[in-house]
Amino acid sequence: MDDMRATYMYAVGDVRVTDAPDPTIQQPTDAIVRTTRACVCGSDLHPYHSMPASEDGAAMGHEILGVVEEVGSEVRTVSPGDLVIAPFALSCGVCEFCRAGLQTSCVRGGFWGDPGFGTAGTQAEAARVPLADGSLVPVPGVGADADEALLNSLLTLTDVYGTGWHAAHMAKVGPGSTVTVIGDGAVGLLAVLSAKQLGAERIILMGRHQVRTDLGRDFGATDVVAERGEEGIAAVRELTDGGSQVVLEAVGHMPAYEQSVGIVRPGGVISRVGVPQYEEAPVGFGSLFGGNITLTGGPAPVRAYTEQLLPAVLDGTVDPGRVFDRTVGLEETAEAYRLMDDREALKVALRP
Amino acid sequence: MDDMRATYMYAVGDVRVTDAPDPTIQQPTDAIVRTTRACVCGSDLHPYHSMPASEDGAAMGHEILGVVEEVGSEVRTVSPGDLVIAPFALSCGVCEFCRAGLQTSCVRGGFWGDPGFGTAGTQAEAARVPLADGSLVPVPGVGADADEALLNSLLTLTDVYGTGWHAAHMAKVGPGSTVTVIGDGAVGLLAVLSAKQLGAERIILMGRHQVRTDLGRDFGATDVVAERGEEGIAAVRELTDGGSQVVLEAVGHMPAYEQSVGIVRPGGVISRVGVPQYEEAPVGFGSLFGGNITLTGGPAPVRAYTEQLLPAVLDGTVDPGRVFDRTVGLEETAEAYRLMDDREALKVALRP
């Protein structure tokens, strides 16, 4: 069996690129995809801070833009040579949940690196993609040699752009909406872009890193609030005359939840796409109930949005790929984690 | 100043009807309403179990059907002699939130018995109703001498029917919906009726009191699940092949919340109208987030629904008043609390 290079995490802060077996077709619904671009996700930083030590390590990465190399006998919708987007949740495309646009709850699907599901990670030279017909979206007329900006924008469709879009979609952002986005990471910034595309009139971005919030302004933020906690809450309540109808929470830590509750307007919506790093939170009379606040969101079924978001990426109307401010070679993946963890980079693309 | 009889609570289980000053017009927007029917609410049982002892007591009651006796100089929409419904939240009718149908968040409004708001309770011979134009709904062509069944149905529009309706409305119940209602109290049963009116195809009622669940079947429940906890969850998941798209939670205790999380389908909605007797609850990946569950609901702006619900009550299409299985005189209010607390009565109407 041939070898490739792939990324594993072994403990807190311990990321290594090592030899791993080349992926092969195991099911007739599989495809093998050779990586054009992968990347490190903000959510990869959670295990980077907390993973128990493991001798075998965990295969990392759940975002991949690449070229189909081989397909199983039952694959119909993609062919060798196609440039494809693989969303972070793999899905069959035909079950009740896939048809409802909730591919993250697919009855046959699963997530990259989930041992029970049998996939490895995508921070590697190639990947086996189960359920290829449901999961993969070909990008017609574009090849792996497309320019860097376009490749980066296509890569956002695997996760961060679809996740920002999901936040806004679940909150029913529409023309005239007042929206506050908590978090100036890639997902928060693309939630700003999504809210803008959906017609929001006022978009307040809560974030403290000016390079990022400046990009947020380019994406459509009308106001930036750098304060956090009680001060940040007071600032947004002042700007919105009593609270924001929509809050998009793109962080996942408890202070961001508390901030959401503090700034949401009675009758408003908090839409979460930051993976919660807590299980319990205030939901009683004094937080959600009394003001008839709706709490929504979850892992984004980005596959549901790919076809809708692709045209504006291809014709250059939007450039979500600007969230990638660094590209490094695959061998430097550990450095990519460090750059993101130290906030020296917003989001790092990996080039095999 | 003349006296009337009114209900006060002084401590856990200590409810007394005593002399109290007759209400008088204090603001030009007030109305004085002479009670035709009041009642005890399920939510009144919360202080009945937990109220700290107080020498002055707390004025009780937030539901009243009565006849306008006198109005302030600025009141335009009701006149002396009108039979009126007063919802449990009093509201101005003109602010942003009232116009949006969220009268429970009215910027000028408040709740019965709230000392800061200056009202007493409605378990009394008469009540001062602030913000009469926004709060009161006249019932044209019906008088205080209408038959008992109609008076009871009109009385449900002050709270329990509108609250059940709110649960279904916030969950966007519509034609074909599968709905599970947790709780066989008056609000739960009227959530069943509301879901039926909104076109739900399948309505599962979770409750253990057969007299009540039988009424639930009359209101439209297609299935009854008597089990609670894990057993109840398993039964509903079995009936719904994996979970209920909509869960209407009409209890307010933590086990009902946990039951909601256990039975809701991925992508589904939990709509709460039972006043939460907890502040923190599970909302993380393993409860709400992972399945993209939406949590909604709150205190029902019943005033928003009165005009919509009234015609079917008046023409007899629906008979929500069947939730009243006892009527007692005002002097027996303490007994009314006991009957409801001991579950000897579902809901008790009070007749002055």
Side-chain angles (χ1 to χ4, degrees):
Chain A
M1 190 179 286
D2 289 335
D3 272 353
M4 65 163 181
R5 300 288 284 170
T7 305
Y8 287 78
M9 187 183 291
Y10 296 88
V12 169
D14 184 3
V15 171
R16 293 179 236 159
V17 178
T18 66
D19 288 337
D22 247 357
T24 56
I25 299 284
Q26 293 172 28
Q27 301 285 335
T29 48
D30 285 354
I32 303 302
V33 173
R34 181 82 22 197
T35 309
T36 301
R37 288 291 182 279
C39 57
V40 181
C41 182
S43 68
D44 292 332
L45 297 179
H46 294 315
Y48 191 70
H49 292 147
S50 65
M51 182 184 162
S54 142
E55 210 159 296
D56 294 338
M60 297 304 296
H62 53 259
E63 295 155 300
I64 183 171
L65 173 73
V67 176
V68 176
E69 195 167 78
E70 189 186 352
V71 296
S73 59
E74 292 178 14
V75 174
R76 295 285 170 272
T77 63
V78 296
S79 309
D82 288 350
L83 184 71
V84 291
I85 296 161
F88 75 83
L90 303 166
S91 56
C92 73
V94 294
C95 75
E96 166 197 348
F97 296 110
C98 284
R99 281 182 281 116
L102 194 67
Q103 285 86 345
T104 43
S105 293
C106 172
V107 299
R108 300 178 188 88
F111 295 91
W112 293 96
D114 177 349
F117 191 53
T119 52
T122 60
Q123 293 166 2
E125 289 182 296
R128 178 173 81 86
V129 183
L131 304 169
D133 276 346
S135 301
L136 294 175
V137 183
V139 186
V142 180
D145 57 350
D147 73 62
E148 197 72 20
L150 179 57
L151 292 178
N152 283 344
S153 283
L154 292 171
L155 185 55
T156 65
L157 290 170
T158 64
D159 185 342
V160 282
Y161 187 17
T163 296
W165 185 270
H166 184 59
H169 170 80
M170 291 295 280
K172 299 186 173 49
V173 172
S177 293
T178 293
V179 176
T180 301
V181 176
I182 298 181
D184 58 10
V187 171
L189 297 179
L190 292 171
V192 169
L193 178 64
S194 301
K196 177 73 179 176
Q197 286 181 275
L198 287 164
E201 187 175 299
R202 187 158 198 193
I203 304 172
I204 301 166
L205 173 59
M206 302 190 81
R208 300 194 301 171
H209 298 78
Q210 203 191 327
V211 174
R212 301 179 181 192
T213 57
D214 283 351
L215 180 53
R217 286 188 194 270
D218 286 356
F219 282 159
T222 54
D223 303 82
V224 168
V225 169
E227 295 87 353
R228 297 205 274 194
E230 288 307 317
E231 263 183 281
I233 290 170
V236 174
R237 294 183 66 88
E238 170 84 24
L239 281 171
T240 55
D241 193 21
S244 186
Q245 179 64 25
V246 171
V247 180
L248 308 182
E249 196 280 86
V251 178
H253 290 292
M254 181 50 75
Y257 182 92
E258 291 168 340
Q259 207 158 299
S260 303
V261 169
I263 65 178
V264 70
R265 197 176 196 80
V269 182
I270 298 170
S271 181
R272 295 181 298 167
V273 290
V275 179
Q277 301 303 301
Y278 50 83
E279 187 56 40
E280 303 246 327
V283 300
F285 204 97
S287 47
L288 302 186
F289 190 87
N292 272 281
I293 308 304
T294 295
L295 178 68
T296 190
V302 298
R303 179 65 187 84
Y305 311 125
T306 324
E307 283 89 348
Q308 184 179 0
L309 300 181
L310 192 52
V313 167
L314 290 175
D315 72 15
T317 307
V318 293
D319 47 5
R322 290 179 66 195
V323 296
F324 287 102
D325 53 353
R326 288 289 288 269
T327 301
V328 303
L330 179 64
E331 293 300 325
E332 297 163 82
T333 301
E335 173 66 1
Y337 275 77
R338 192 199 62 74
L339 286 166
M340 283 180 59
D341 191 44
D342 291 345
R343 295 182 174 265
E344 288 178 32
L346 170 54
K347 193 164 174 69
V348 183
L350 303 174
R351 190 180 40 216
Chain B
M1 190 180 282
D2 288 337
D3 274 352
M4 66 164 181
R5 300 288 284 170
T7 305
Y8 287 78
M9 188 183 291
Y10 295 89
V12 169
D14 183 3
V15 171
R16 293 180 235 157
V17 178
T18 65
D19 287 337
D22 247 358
T24 57
I25 299 285
Q26 291 172 29
Q27 301 286 335
T29 48
D30 286 353
I32 303 302
V33 173
R34 181 85 18 200
T35 309
T36 301
R37 289 291 182 280
C39 58
V40 180
C41 182
S43 68
D44 292 332
L45 297 180
H46 295 315
Y48 192 71
H49 292 148
S50 65
M51 182 184 163
S54 143
E55 208 158 298
D56 294 339
M60 298 303 296
H62 52 259
E63 294 154 301
I64 183 171
L65 173 73
V67 177
V68 176
E69 194 167 80
E70 190 186 351
V71 296
S73 59
E74 293 178 13
V75 173
R76 295 285 171 272
T77 62
V78 296
S79 310
D82 287 349
L83 184 71
V84 290
I85 296 161
F88 75 83
L90 303 166
S91 55
C92 73
V94 293
C95 75
E96 165 198 347
F97 297 109
C98 284
R99 281 181 282 118
L102 194 68
Q103 285 86 345
T104 43
S105 292
C106 172
V107 299
R108 301 178 186 87
F111 295 91
W112 293 98
D114 177 348
F117 192 53
T119 52
T122 60
Q123 293 166 3
E125 289 181 297
R128 177 173 82 87
V129 182
L131 303 169
D133 276 345
S135 302
L136 294 175
V137 183
V139 186
V142 179
D145 57 349
D147 73 61
E148 197 72 19
L150 179 56
L151 292 179
N152 283 345
S153 284
L154 291 172
L155 185 56
T156 64
L157 289 170
T158 63
D159 184 342
V160 282
Y161 187 17
T163 296
W165 185 270
H166 183 59
H169 170 78
M170 291 295 280
K172 299 188 174 43
V173 172
S177 293
T178 292
V179 176
T180 301
V181 176
I182 299 181
D184 59 9
V187 171
L189 297 178
L190 292 171
V192 169
L193 177 65
S194 300
K196 177 72 178 177
Q197 286 182 274
L198 286 163
E201 187 174 297
R202 187 159 198 193
I203 304 171
I204 301 166
L205 173 60
M206 302 190 81
R208 300 196 301 172
H209 297 78
Q210 203 191 328
V211 175
R212 300 179 182 193
T213 57
D214 282 351
L215 180 53
R217 287 188 194 270
D218 286 356
F219 281 158
T222 54
D223 303 83
V224 169
V225 169
E227 294 87 353
R228 297 205 271 193
E230 288 308 317
E231 262 183 282
I233 290 170
V236 173
R237 293 183 67 88
E238 170 84 25
L239 280 171
T240 55
D241 193 21
S244 185
Q245 179 63 26
V246 172
V247 180
L248 308 181
E249 196 280 86
V251 178
H253 290 291
M254 182 49 74
Y257 182 92
E258 291 168 340
Q259 206 160 298
S260 303
V261 169
I263 64 178
V264 70
R265 197 176 196 80
V269 182
I270 299 170
S271 182
R272 295 182 298 169
V273 290
V275 179
Q277 302 302 301
Y278 50 84
E279 187 55 39
E280 303 246 328
V283 300
F285 204 96
S287 47
L288 302 187
F289 190 86
N292 272 282
I293 308 304
T294 295
L295 178 68
T296 192
V302 298
R303 178 66 188 82
Y305 310 124
T306 324
E307 283 90 348
Q308 184 180 2
L309 300 181
L310 192 53
V313 167
L314 290 175
D315 72 15
T317 306
V318 295
D319 46 7
R322 289 179 67 195
V323 297
F324 287 102
D325 53 352
R326 288 288 288 271
T327 301
V328 303
L330 179 63
E331 294 300 326
E332 297 164 81
T333 300
E335 172 67 359
Y337 275 77
R338 192 199 62 75
L339 286 166
M340 284 180 59
D341 191 44
D342 291 345
R343 294 180 175 267
E344 288 177 34
L346 171 52
K347 194 164 173 70
V348 184
L350 304 173
R351 189 179 42 215

